[in-house]
Structures are given as C-alpha cells and as structure tokens.
Amino acid sequence: MSEFPGGPGPATAVPDAADPDPLTPLFAPPTASWIPLSPRYRELKHRLVLLAWGLWMVLAAAAAQFLTGRWWATALVVVVFAAWIGYRYQRVDRVYRVWGYAERDTDLYVRSGLLFRRLVAVPYGRMQVVEVESGPIERHFGLASVKLVTASASTDARIPGLDAAAAATLRDRLTDKGETQVAGL
Amino acid sequence: MSESPAPPVKQAQRPHPLTPLAKGWISLVAIVVVFGQDGVRQLSRHPDLRSVGIVAGLIGILLVLSLGRGFFTWRTTRFVIDDDELRIEHRFIHHTSDRIQFSKIQGVDVVQPFAARLMGLAALHVDVGAGAAKRIEFLSRSQSYALRDYLIARAHGDRISVDASASLPQADAWHDRAATDEVIVAARPGNLVLSSIASTGFLVATAWALTALVIGAWRGSPVAGLGAAFPAGATMVSIVSHQTIRHWHFTLTRTRKGLRVAHGVTTLTSASVPIDRIQGVIITQSPLWRPFGIYKVAMDVLGRSFASEHDEESAGGGVLVPAGSWDDVRAALAAIWPGADPDRLSWTPVDRRGRWLHPLGFGLQRWHVDATFAATRRGVFAPSITVIPHARVQSVAIRQGPLRRRLGLATVELHSSPGVVAWRRHYLTEPVARRLALSELDRGRLARRQEGELARVRSMPPPPLPAPAERWWPAPASLTDQ
C-alpha cells in the first residue's frame, strides 16, 4: 500500500476555481476538483422532468376542464404546473452541479444532495462489490450507475449517470485498487 | 447416539432418535400459543363436550402430523463431523447437502429449547457468517458441547481430532461453563427484574391497569375494571418474563477460545462471541434505570444475527450486558477490546450554536476520538454511548441540511455493518467536521494495518516487526480546537 506523504489530505480545502459550485469548504473536493457526471445525465433528467410533470399537467388540466368546465380554471392549473416544471427544470442543473466524485490514492469520495448535502468517503479496501447498473432509460442515453457496496448498509455510495464506458473503466479501476488494498472486515 | 448404516467411505451420523419428540413438543407449544387464547375464549362461550372434542381432535391431528414430519426429517437427516469435514444432508422433500469449511465457521451456538432440555437434547447452530445458521437438531447435550468445542477449535485453525476434543471438560444442563473459564459478567436476577420493571413499557402498562381498576371501582363495577386491567396485567407479566427468562443466568465468560455468552431459562443459548468481528457497541440506560445504576450493553457482530429467533428487538446485534452495573460495563468492554475503558474517554463538547436545534441536554452531546476508538455520547433521558474501533469503520460521511448550514454546523457519520450501532455526531463546526471525517480514513487505515501486523506477529512469532515510524494522522487534541 502506498504511503501518505502529505498527511490526511487538504483538511481545510481551498475553494477551487474549476469547481462549478464550490459550496463551502466543507464539501470541497479532496483532490483538485470533483469529476462531474456525464452531461447526458442532465439531459436525461431534464427530459424526465418535462415528460413526467408534463403528463401530470395534461391530466390535471383535463380534470380541471372536465370538473369545472371553466377555461380559467384550466389555465390556472396549466400556469401553476408550468411554473413548477420551470422550477424543477432549473433545479436539475443545480443538482447536477453538486454531484461529483473524486479518486485519491486510497479512498473514493462522492458528493451529492442540493438541500441535504452529503459527502461520503469509502476506502478502496472496504469495497465488497462495485456494481455497474443501467436501466433501459439510462441505456438509451448511454449511461450507467456505479454503486459501491461495503459491509455497511449506510454507506450508500452511488454515482449515477456516468458514461457507460467510463462507468466500466471506473468499476475496473476501483476493483483493482480494492484488491491491492484489501482489508479484513 | 444412533447406529446408522455406515456408508462405504464416511461414518455419517443421524441426529438423536428423540428428535421427532422434541420437535413435536415444540410445534405443540406453537399450536397452543397460536390457537390457545382464541380456543379458550370460544370454549368458555360454548362449554360443551363436543367443542372440547373438536379442539382436542384438531390438536391431536396437528401433533400427529408434526410428529410424522419430525420422524421423516430425522430419518432423512445425516451429518458428518470428522477430522476432514462438516457436512449436513437433508433428504426429505428438498434434498440439500451443505459442506462447510472449518475455516469459514463464524461461531457455533448450542441452543436448548425447553422440551429438548428436558430430554437432554440440544441443537447445534453453525453460523457461517451469511444467511441462516446451519442447524443440526437434535443431539445429546454432551455431544453438542463436545462437537461445538471441536468445531470452534477447528475454526480457530487448531488441527485437533474429534476424539481429542471429546475429552475436554463438559458443562451441565443449566450452565455452559467449564472449570477453567473465567466469568466476566454475570447478570444478577434482581437487576434483570428491576430493569424490566423500571422500563417505560412496564410503567405504561401499570398506569393503564391502575386507571382501569380505579375507574371500575369508582363506577361501581369492579369486574368491568378488572376486565379492562387484564390485558395490561398480561403485558406487565410478559415484559418482565421476557427479559428475565431470556437473560436468566446470563454469563459472559472467557474461555480458552475467546468469549462466550450463555443465557436463558427455557431455552438455554450458548454462543461464542467472535471478538474480531465485533463492529461496535452501544451502552444505553433507560430513564428509570438511573437511580439503580443499571446499564445495558449491546453489540453488532458482522454477518451474524445473534440468536435472532429470540431477539427481535436487536436483529443483528447481541447483548453483552443485559442489565448490569457500570463495573460490569467496564469489564465487558475490557474483555472484548483490551485497553478500552469508558471511564478514560476524553469527551469533547459540540459547538454551542447547535443548542437551538437540541434544547434539552445539549451539554451531554459529546464525542471522543483516540488512536483506537471513536465514541459519541448523547441523551438526557435515555443516555447512550456508542463506541466503534477505527479498524471497523466501513466508510465516512459528512452531512448537512439547510438548518445546520445556516448555523455553520455539520454532522459526521461513521458507517459500520448494519445493526444497533450507528455512530453519528451532530453539531460539529464545519472545519472540525471536515477534519474529523477525512482524518478518520487515515486512522482507520492505520488501525487496520496495525491489527493485521498484530495478527501476523501472533501467527509467526519471530522476528518482531518495527513499530510504525511516524504518525500522519492528526493528534486527537488538534481535532478539538474550534
């Protein structure tokens, strides 16, 4: 196992210009910068927001029209939904910017969560399994998720929306590192 | 011991011939428990001979069925425990053949349900770290203990033979303790009863029963009051009996092969405690236990549901001290982790800005980190102390919600295997949280490496390894400056 010449990493991290959303030093990257998810993941999320909430909007508008029969009620529903969809749409961008992961010599770091922020660090030696998952929608966008499983159920270290090839190489890299740094439970 | 027809190669053994009876008795008890209350109520409503006959007939049929099933299961079960292998074969309806490597055995429990104990039988539960324990039901008690000792010796890597292990000292029906064993914690019956009486559930039930009785007497219908008080009374009895029956004769002993926990009055469970798989402990005190100075210590053991069928409340965890004094707590901790002493933890308070989020007992929210352990303490009504060795931390997380962000505070979590122990420290300032979380990874790595070296040194004595040259984790004190 490699040594740590620099000690326990940048404890008080410098806010980094390359980080699109520096947040606070608390969630600063332990390396130079966070590696972002694939831009296609943002696109997928955008489309899902439009599709899912658009469907609800159509249903709600139809219900309003059918139940009240007044055009302004329908228009009100449409406006409210449009505002909500606009909010959800721009929120996708902000959530996307928070997502990021970083690899160091011995640990993997994943940052997530816009309102409830979370930074999880998993030592490679602790990884039991590295799973690559890809559902039909993700596959359509050429995306895959990488999930790190440790002996703890609370670890919950998942990196969604990676490029499928990048996910596979990340998995292989993590597995290799995990094998060389394996630690007993 | 049954003489089974010997297969050409191996001497396969059958469980004890009384097994169907023991199992039939157990299922009879289950039937009575399930249908008993309802049946008695029905019978008391229509107390004629015919319904009694029907109920008795039904129970009889079920009993015959379960006896028959038990018989065929017994007929078709074989096991091999010899110097080469442990194999259990079932060939009743489902055919299974489990062959378990000695080195993969995580623990062997000897479980004696009431009926089995009356017949001098015991079951072996072989824990393989994942899935349900492999069972051999039932063997004679002495054979169970002998095989348990043999299997545990093999699991530790000792190459002894079955015959050699049979000559080890034996235990009796009520205790599983050899003369050489040292008792570390023994639960006093008084403490057990007291701890269950001074529990919240018991007091709620008592209040309910008293209220019902008083209202009944006041309204001039004491019988109705008695009726309303009855369920509460039953609850009270069940709370006390549950705690006392399950933890009766609870002993934590140090044997030649590590720690062992034995407890129970109807079902005597005797389980080895795999010390190197203990992931963390939690010391708790119910609000009403404080005047009596009673504490409980629970632990998480990796991949192990400790006597899970009797212990729903702490799935995945085991009890180290069911109800004991602070000295018991210290003794138990020192037994599993040499050098661990809850009195010697140096507690650091959390940041005062968090008191708005936690008005009651904020000053009790503290944490401690040294080279070996991370501990956290909280609670004014039900205080608890959680201790995790750095070497067992699986991953680390920093969390922050919108409120804490406004106050400049954050939460650090140390993740260990699922169970009762969850290490979480709220209300740290951001720099402290960041430093604590990131340096924890290095502390964990160092602790694991030292542990590995220790194990290696133990397995092959010379030459001694040099001590780690430098410490690159921050000294614990530096974490606390705010």
Side-chain angles (χ1 to χ4, degrees), chain B residues 43 46-55:
Chain B
L43 280 183
H46 314 282
D48 58 273
L49 212 58
R50 203 160 146 240
S51 22
V52 174
I54 288 175
V55 169

PDB file of all heavy atoms in Angstrom, chain B residues 43 46-55:
ATOM      1  N   LEU B  43     -64.240 -21.770  23.780  1.00  0.00           N
ATOM      2  CA  LEU B  43     -64.725 -22.842  24.629  1.00  0.00           C
ATOM      3  C   LEU B  43     -65.515 -22.299  25.808  1.00  0.00           C
ATOM      4  O   LEU B  43     -66.546 -22.858  26.200  1.00  0.00           O
ATOM      5  CB  LEU B  43     -63.554 -23.685  25.135  1.00  0.00           C
ATOM      6  CG  LEU B  43     -63.025 -24.718  24.140  1.00  0.00           C
ATOM      7  CD1 LEU B  43     -61.926 -25.535  24.771  1.00  0.00           C
ATOM      8  CD2 LEU B  43     -64.151 -25.636  23.673  1.00  0.00           C
ATOM      9  N   HIS B  46     -68.953 -21.549  24.550  1.00  0.00           N
ATOM     10  CA  HIS B  46     -69.786 -22.740  24.317  1.00  0.00           C
ATOM     11  C   HIS B  46     -69.160 -23.922  25.032  1.00  0.00           C
ATOM     12  O   HIS B  46     -68.486 -24.747  24.419  1.00  0.00           O
ATOM     13  CB  HIS B  46     -69.883 -23.056  22.821  1.00  0.00           C
ATOM     14  CG  HIS B  46     -70.171 -21.852  21.987  1.00  0.00           C
ATOM     15  ND1 HIS B  46     -71.421 -21.317  21.889  1.00  0.00           N
ATOM     16  CD2 HIS B  46     -69.370 -21.103  21.224  1.00  0.00           C
ATOM     17  CE1 HIS B  46     -71.379 -20.263  21.085  1.00  0.00           C
ATOM     18  NE2 HIS B  46     -70.134 -20.102  20.678  1.00  0.00           N
ATOM     19  N   PRO B  47     -69.332 -23.999  26.337  1.00  0.00           N
ATOM     20  CA  PRO B  47     -68.599 -25.029  27.066  1.00  0.00           C
ATOM     21  C   PRO B  47     -69.281 -26.402  27.000  1.00  0.00           C
ATOM     22  O   PRO B  47     -69.717 -26.922  28.014  1.00  0.00           O
ATOM     23  CB  PRO B  47     -68.565 -24.466  28.490  1.00  0.00           C
ATOM     24  CG  PRO B  47     -69.787 -23.614  28.579  1.00  0.00           C
ATOM     25  CD  PRO B  47     -70.201 -23.213  27.195  1.00  0.00           C
ATOM     26  N   ASP B  48     -69.414 -26.961  25.819  1.00  0.00           N
ATOM     27  CA  ASP B  48     -69.973 -28.308  25.752  1.00  0.00           C
ATOM     28  C   ASP B  48     -68.895 -29.297  25.339  1.00  0.00           C
ATOM     29  O   ASP B  48     -67.825 -28.920  24.865  1.00  0.00           O
ATOM     30  CB  ASP B  48     -71.156 -28.358  24.784  1.00  0.00           C
ATOM     31  CG  ASP B  48     -70.758 -27.916  23.408  1.00  0.00           C
ATOM     32  OD1 ASP B  48     -70.798 -26.693  23.144  1.00  0.00           O
ATOM     33  OD2 ASP B  48     -70.373 -28.777  22.596  1.00  0.00           O
ATOM     34  N   LEU B  49     -69.222 -30.560  25.532  1.00  0.00           N
ATOM     35  CA  LEU B  49     -68.233 -31.618  25.347  1.00  0.00           C
ATOM     36  C   LEU B  49     -67.780 -31.700  23.890  1.00  0.00           C
ATOM     37  O   LEU B  49     -66.632 -32.006  23.591  1.00  0.00           O
ATOM     38  CB  LEU B  49     -68.861 -32.949  25.782  1.00  0.00           C
ATOM     39  CG  LEU B  49     -67.865 -33.945  26.388  1.00  0.00           C
ATOM     40  CD1 LEU B  49     -67.178 -33.318  27.588  1.00  0.00           C
ATOM     41  CD2 LEU B  49     -68.598 -35.216  26.781  1.00  0.00           C
ATOM     42  N   ARG B  50     -68.708 -31.370  22.975  1.00  0.00           N
ATOM     43  CA  ARG B  50     -68.418 -31.571  21.577  1.00  0.00           C
ATOM     44  C   ARG B  50     -67.311 -30.631  21.100  1.00  0.00           C
ATOM     45  O   ARG B  50     -66.357 -31.042  20.433  1.00  0.00           O
ATOM     46  CB  ARG B  50     -69.690 -31.326  20.760  1.00  0.00           C
ATOM     47  CG  ARG B  50     -69.615 -32.038  19.445  1.00  0.00           C
ATOM     48  CD  ARG B  50     -70.971 -32.242  18.819  1.00  0.00           C
ATOM     49  NE  ARG B  50     -70.760 -32.139  17.404  1.00  0.00           N
ATOM     50  CZ  ARG B  50     -71.323 -31.262  16.625  1.00  0.00           C
ATOM     51  NH1 ARG B  50     -72.217 -30.437  17.111  1.00  0.00           N
ATOM     52  NH2 ARG B  50     -71.040 -31.233  15.352  1.00  0.00           N
ATOM     53  N   SER B  51     -67.412 -29.362  21.487  1.00  0.00           N
ATOM     54  CA  SER B  51     -66.381 -28.452  21.012  1.00  0.00           C
ATOM     55  C   SER B  51     -65.035 -28.787  21.636  1.00  0.00           C
ATOM     56  O   SER B  51     -63.994 -28.660  20.980  1.00  0.00           O
ATOM     57  CB  SER B  51     -66.767 -27.001  21.296  1.00  0.00           C
ATOM     58  OG  SER B  51     -67.698 -26.921  22.328  1.00  0.00           O
ATOM     59  N   VAL B  52     -65.061 -29.251  22.895  1.00  0.00           N
ATOM     60  CA  VAL B  52     -63.798 -29.680  23.502  1.00  0.00           C
ATOM     61  C   VAL B  52     -63.201 -30.812  22.679  1.00  0.00           C
ATOM     62  O   VAL B  52     -62.005 -30.816  22.357  1.00  0.00           O
ATOM     63  CB  VAL B  52     -64.032 -30.125  24.964  1.00  0.00           C
ATOM     64  CG1 VAL B  52     -62.754 -30.703  25.535  1.00  0.00           C
ATOM     65  CG2 VAL B  52     -64.510 -28.957  25.802  1.00  0.00           C
ATOM     66  N   GLY B  53     -64.059 -31.736  22.288  1.00  0.00           N
ATOM     67  CA  GLY B  53     -63.584 -32.861  21.489  1.00  0.00           C
ATOM     68  C   GLY B  53     -63.000 -32.421  20.173  1.00  0.00           C
ATOM     69  O   GLY B  53     -61.947 -32.901  19.740  1.00  0.00           O
ATOM     70  N   ILE B  54     -63.682 -31.452  19.527  1.00  0.00           N
ATOM     71  CA  ILE B  54     -63.204 -30.985  18.229  1.00  0.00           C
ATOM     72  C   ILE B  54     -61.818 -30.360  18.367  1.00  0.00           C
ATOM     73  O   ILE B  54     -60.894 -30.668  17.620  1.00  0.00           O
ATOM     74  CB  ILE B  54     -64.200 -29.970  17.627  1.00  0.00           C
ATOM     75  CG1 ILE B  54     -65.466 -30.709  17.183  1.00  0.00           C
ATOM     76  CG2 ILE B  54     -63.581 -29.229  16.450  1.00  0.00           C
ATOM     77  CD1 ILE B  54     -66.559 -29.798  16.696  1.00  0.00           C
ATOM     78  N   VAL B  55     -61.704 -29.500  19.392  1.00  0.00           N
ATOM     79  CA  VAL B  55     -60.415 -28.826  19.582  1.00  0.00           C
ATOM     80  C   VAL B  55     -59.327 -29.842  19.876  1.00  0.00           C
ATOM     81  O   VAL B  55     -58.245 -29.824  19.276  1.00  0.00           O
ATOM     82  CB  VAL B  55     -60.529 -27.791  20.726  1.00  0.00           C
ATOM     83  CG1 VAL B  55     -59.159 -27.285  21.113  1.00  0.00           C
ATOM     84  CG2 VAL B  55     -61.413 -26.636  20.302  1.00  0.00           C
TER      85      VAL B  55
END
